[in-house]
Amino acid sequence: MKAIVIQGKLELVETELPTPAPRPDQVRLRMAYGGICGSDLHYYNEGANGEFVVREPLVPGHELSGTVDLDPSGELAPGTPVTIHPATFGTSEPGIEDRPHLWPNGAYLGSASTWPHTQGGMSEFLVVGKSMLRILPTTLPLRRAALAEPLAVALHGIAIAGGVEGKRVLVSGSGAIGLLTAAAALSLGATEVVTTDVLPGPLRRARELGVHDTIQVGAQNIPSAHFDVVLECTGLPVAITGALDATRRAGIVVLVGIPLNEARPVNLSPLVSRELQLRGTMRFNDEIDQAVELLDTNPQLDRVITHEFPAPQAVEAFTVAKDSDASGKVLVSLW
């Protein structure tokens, strides 16, 4: 089968790999679309995603859609449209029995965090456990369904915040995750949704999604102590400082973006003086089911997708995806 493979820093090639055969509890999929995530960009541009270094050829991709190619059990017919929950859960621990996404020793498609690496889905075929599949409504196009994983990340952040219905919400950062977070907040009943970014392109895309206002950081001021919930989607220390300042007394700040694992200065004074709650969020649990429902009923979410490239143009796709002013979500169509 054909596959896109990252061999190291700035080394991405199309190659041939053995076509996998599913076990009785697995299903082989013919892949349709793969979205390029920030972690994919790190693996390609730096040869590593944080501490996780590419040590063997890695097929990227965990934002996926496709159709069933072969189900040994006969339960799922060939051609059944699906998306994938990309996590394989690890070992339960006391206190987090109901949060398998936090269990240690798990794995994620397209990740160098394990050895051997956990191969992703930017390939002609992919074999996964049947429990990882989510059957799609016939009304949901496979192209839009590739947004299910990042939208689930956004929905989990909102769940960690305790919901947004009737609340004033600031989304810090208007990249693909920020855009989907803003769209989810609108769908879930927020009374005001404002997004920020340093670049005009992402803010233009946010306005196209219907947010109430946008703020270009550096050119406009973010209102202080105004928002009930702030969803910080960049992970940048300066943005975290801004998120805390933007939150009203007793409000909630959720870190959706992943900060670097290093000491960086953040002004925590508002956290204390306003008795804020600062919460972390990691990927998602089962919100991908809700994501599929929202994608099916909200065709305007297609606007988050700004570019689509065929698999032979994957290098160009990764280059465009790195330009956050020019691109939102970039998809690769897979053979």
Side-chain angles (χ1 to χ4, degrees):
M1 69 173 183
K2 297 177 182 178
I4 295 168
V5 172
I6 297 172
Q7 298 178 322
K9 181 178 179 180
L10 298 177
E11 294 184 53
L12 186 149
V13 298
E14 180 182 316
T15 189
E16 287 285 337
L17 296 176
T19 300
R23 300 192 305 264
D25 60 341
Q26 294 179 320
V27 175
R28 186 171 68 204
L29 307 177
R30 177 177 287 276
M31 304 311 298
Y33 291 98
I36 298 176
C37 174
S39 62
D40 301 319
L41 290 175
H42 284 299
Y43 284 129
Y44 170 59
N45 288 288
E46 300 152 29
N49 182 30
E51 61 184 299
F52 305 127
V53 178
V54 176
R55 294 180 286 161
E56 66 174 346
L58 174 67
V59 178
H62 54 261
E63 303 176 0
L64 304 164
S65 65
T67 57
V68 171
D69 179 64
L70 175 61
D71 178 4
S73 73
E75 179 183 352
L76 298 175
T80 300
V82 298
T83 189
I84 305 170
H85 191 311
T88 302
F89 301 126
T91 307
S92 180
E93 287 187 345
I96 56 171
E97 293 89 348
D98 61 340
R99 289 188 278 183
H101 62 293
L102 297 181
W103 294 353
N105 306 315
Y108 217 72
L109 293 179
S111 174
S113 64
T114 57
W115 182 258
H117 297 340
T118 304
Q119 301 298 324
M122 288 194 184
S123 52
E124 196 172 359
F125 297 97
L126 178 67
V127 166
V128 297
K130 189 174 292 187
S131 63
M132 300 169 69
L133 298 182
R134 299 296 187 272
I135 308 302
L136 300 176
T138 57
T139 48
L140 177 57
L142 287 171
R143 184 175 186 268
R144 193 187 316 148
L147 296 174
E149 193 274 351
L151 180 56
V153 170
L155 290 168
H156 186 62
I158 290 173
I160 291 293
V164 294
E165 185 175 1
K167 296 180 180 179
R168 298 167 297 176
V169 176
L170 178 70
V171 178
S172 172
S174 299
I177 290 292
L179 291 174
L180 289 168
T181 300
L186 289 167
S187 296
L188 296 176
T191 57
E192 180 184 9
V193 178
V194 178
T195 69
T196 72
D197 208 277
V198 297
L199 299 170
L203 296 177
R204 182 183 66 255
R205 289 185 281 275
R207 290 191 293 272
E208 291 172 353
L209 284 174
V211 301
H212 298 94
D213 199 4
T214 59
I215 298 170
Q216 187 168 356
V217 177
Q220 299 170 278
N221 294 323
I222 302 173
S224 181
H226 175 76
F227 297 95
D228 304 302
V229 173
V230 177
L231 298 151
E232 208 300 296
C233 297
T234 73
L236 299 174
V238 65
I240 297 171
T241 291
L244 293 170
D245 182 67
T247 309
R248 56 91 169 161
R249 293 175 184 271
I252 296 171
V253 178
V254 179
L255 302 186
V256 182
I258 302 175
L260 293 175
N261 186 19
E262 61 186 35
R264 289 287 188 92
V266 172
N267 181 10
L268 295 178
S269 178
L271 187 71
V272 176
S273 63
R274 299 181 196 164
E275 203 169 282
L276 307 180
Q277 295 184 47
L278 180 62
R279 303 176 180 178
T281 176
M282 181 61 180
R283 293 175 179 159
F284 58 93
N285 185 0
D286 56 6
E287 286 86 356
I288 197 165
D289 302 303
Q290 184 184 8
V292 168
E293 294 176 6
L294 280 179
L295 288 167
D296 186 36
T297 57
N298 290 271
Q300 70 272 19
L301 289 175
D302 278 332
R303 294 177 179 175
V304 175
I305 303 169
T306 58
H307 296 80
E308 178 184 327
F309 292 88
Q313 297 178 24
V315 171
E316 184 179 354
F318 274 66
T319 301
V320 170
K322 188 180 180 182
D323 184 349
S324 57
D325 191 31
S327 67
K329 178 56 63 182
V330 176
L331 297 185
V332 178
S333 56
L334 300 164
W335 298 287

